[in-house]
Amino acid sequence: MKLRRQRFENALAYNWPLFLVLPVIAGVAISYLFGIYHRPLPYEQINIFAAVQDVDSDSLCDNLQVRFSSQNLKEVTITSANPNDAIFPQKLSVVGYNRADLFILPFSVLNDLGPNGVMLPFSEELKDAYINDDDSTYYVDESLTFGVLLKSASNVSWLDEYIDFLSEDYYLCLNVKSKNIADFGMYDNAEYDLALQAFSYLLGDGQ
Amino acid sequence: MEVVLEIEKEQTKFVKRKKRYSFILILSLVLFLLGAALMVVLSPDEYFTLQWILIILATLYIWGLIYFISVPYKMVKQYDAFYRSYSRGIIEHEKLTITDFDSTIKINKSGLEVCTLKTTCIDKNIVFEREVYVTDEKFSLPKGMIIKARLFRNVLLGYEVSK
């Protein structure tokens, strides 16, 4: 073939969009493959659902990321919703129940939703291992403990720096479907307890 | 009859070339996909740089594929189509007087790389100029020679010197 260059120029003149579109498609496919392959596994991420006015999610996520980076935490996400918004119940049931590991909920919301079947009832073993304060106040429903007081309406918390709480008592709860709560929930994976460690960390003083 | 272009022989040659290009295309595609998959699988968590390296490699591969495989493959297909159409096409016989030969190679409508043989022919006592395509660039006949040409789609297949 002596006129390869001329043939190439002819092809370029007629099919030049192909020369651009094919690399773009390849680039998108490669990027997608990398994204899929490196997507954090359920036990490498923590999802928090916060029923608050506002939250500085970037700073709080960074804080948790730094704190647990040595424990293979790859991603932290915080979804916030204001309980006074009309869309709040849908957001809680669709995003919260399906994705969240931890819930930061005010007393009124906990009371309305009825946590049985959604939140993890705390066992004595869980309390001993992950709640350091013996004087903690719990949210109890039908003699089961579903939440621990994170911040009372009258007190200040280290989380005030990141979260704009409503003037209510706030409880920290765990999703029964979380894969990050060792073997306390629905899944028997004792070695993955990142959500419980984050739970313990949030209940502490941020140190 | 002097043969300029042996259709059957050429057709066999181009069928082989078509197979070779198909094989190279598939092989390079398999190797590229395998390499890309390995890069993805073996990539570290901080894969941003590697991802862009792979995107650049993919772009170069695609452009290279078009230049080195797709363009020649299309040419081979055009030659193959030309040779296959020979079996059901019309073969023309024409008495031509050679006036010149232009050895510059160009691509004709069928996608063949050809040189131009400038000739004249007489029809109803009127002299017409006619350009005939020749696939052999070393083709040489003296000016003024009259030949009985055998043509297919204006490409010279063979000739017989006429007195």
Side-chain angles (χ1 to χ4, degrees), chain A residues 1 4-5 7-8 11 19, chain B residues 17 20-22 24-25 28 59-76:
Chain A
M1 188 170 66
R4 184 197 291 264
R5 194 180 166 82
R7 285 180 186 276
F8 175 71
F19 284 68
Chain B
R17 269 204 216 176
R20 196 172 69 209
Y21 279 123
S22 305
I24 294 170
L25 176 73
S28 73
T59 305
L60 293 175
Y61 170 73
I62 289 165
W63 288 346
L65 204 68
I66 292 169
Y67 187 79
F68 293 107
I69 306 291
S70 159
V71 170
Y73 183 78
K74 194 179 169 192
M75 185 207 80
V76 168

Side-chain angles (χ1 to χ4, degrees), chain A residues 38-116:
Chain A
H38 287 279
R39 189 176 54 185
L41 296 167
Y43 48 82
E44 291 172 336
Q45 53 183 312
I46 296 173
N47 301 306
I48 300 173
F49 184 90
V52 294
Q53 271 186 326
D54 195 19
V55 60
D56 182 3
S57 52
D58 289 346
S59 307
L60 188 54
C61 288
D62 286 348
N63 184 317
L64 289 164
Q65 195 92 51
V66 170
R67 177 70 177 77
F68 295 105
S69 60
S70 58
Q71 277 139 295
N72 212 20
L73 174 65
K74 287 185 180 167
E75 190 180 89
V76 183
T77 57
I78 297 173
T79 308
S80 70
N82 191 328
N84 299 323
D85 288 346
I87 200 165
F88 177 79
Q90 285 95 322
K91 214 169 174 182
L92 177 64
S93 58
V94 175
V95 183
Y97 294 171
N98 292 317
R99 282 191 56 202
D101 298 299
L102 292 161
F103 292 95
I104 297 173
L105 300 174
F107 180 79
S108 58
V109 170
L110 259 176
N111 237 8
D112 289 346
L113 70 88
N116 209 343

Side-chain angles (χ1 to χ4, degrees), chain A residues 131-150:
Chain A
I131 302 172
N132 301 323
D133 189 357
D134 292 339
D135 303 326
S136 295
T137 309
Y138 295 100
Y139 177 86
V140 181
D141 185 58
E142 295 173 6
S143 70
L144 290 171
T145 306
F146 290 104
V148 58
L149 188 70
L150 177 70

Side-chain angles (χ1 to χ4, degrees), chain B residues 4-162:
Chain B
V4 179
L5 181 64
E6 269 187 89
I7 296 280
E8 288 82 9
K9 198 176 151 190
E10 290 292 310
Q11 191 170 12
T12 316
K13 199 166 88 183
F14 276 89
V15 166
K16 273 184 191 169
R17 269 204 216 176
K18 199 175 156 185
K19 279 183 187 167
R20 196 172 69 209
Y21 279 123
S22 305
F23 176 74
I24 294 170
L25 176 73
I26 292 165
L27 185 73
S28 73
L29 205 64
V30 167
L31 286 176
F32 177 77
L33 290 177
L34 207 67
L38 271 175
M39 273 177 93
V40 172
V41 170
L42 300 176
S43 60
D45 282 345
E46 296 299 320
Y47 59 83
F48 184 80
T49 314
L50 200 66
Q51 177 184 305
W52 279 103
I53 289 171
L54 191 55
I55 288 172
I56 290 165
L57 284 177
T59 305
L60 293 175
Y61 170 73
I62 289 165
W63 288 346
L65 204 68
I66 292 169
Y67 187 79
F68 293 107
I69 306 291
S70 159
V71 170
Y73 183 78
K74 194 179 169 192
M75 185 207 80
V76 168
K77 265 181 77 179
Q78 284 172 327
Y79 271 80
D80 193 37
F82 175 80
Y83 295 137
R84 275 191 287 115
S85 67
Y86 169 76
S87 59
R88 53 181 188 278
I90 297 163
I91 308 296
E92 204 185 339
H93 294 273
E94 186 85 66
K95 200 171 187 178
L96 303 167
T97 307
I98 293 163
T99 57
D100 200 5
F101 180 69
D102 182 1
S103 60
T104 314
I105 302 169
K106 63 179 185 180
I107 300 166
N108 76 349
K109 280 182 186 172
S110 310
L112 273 61
E113 290 179 5
V114 290
C115 301
T116 313
L117 182 66
K118 291 177 180 169
T119 64
T120 55
C121 62
I122 300 166
D123 188 23
K124 292 171 188 170
N125 292 326
I126 302 169
V127 178
F128 293 97
E129 283 188 357
R130 180 168 180 181
E131 290 187 347
V132 171
Y133 297 131
V134 182
T135 51
D136 184 6
E137 61 187 298
K138 288 168 192 154
F139 182 80
S140 160
L141 282 178
K143 286 178 190 175
M145 180 180 265
I146 300 167
I147 56 168
K148 278 180 188 169
R150 192 165 158 262
L151 304 153
F152 174 62
R153 285 163 75 172
N154 209 35
V155 175
L156 186 68
L157 302 180
Y159 66 91
E160 205 171 289
V161 179
S162 184

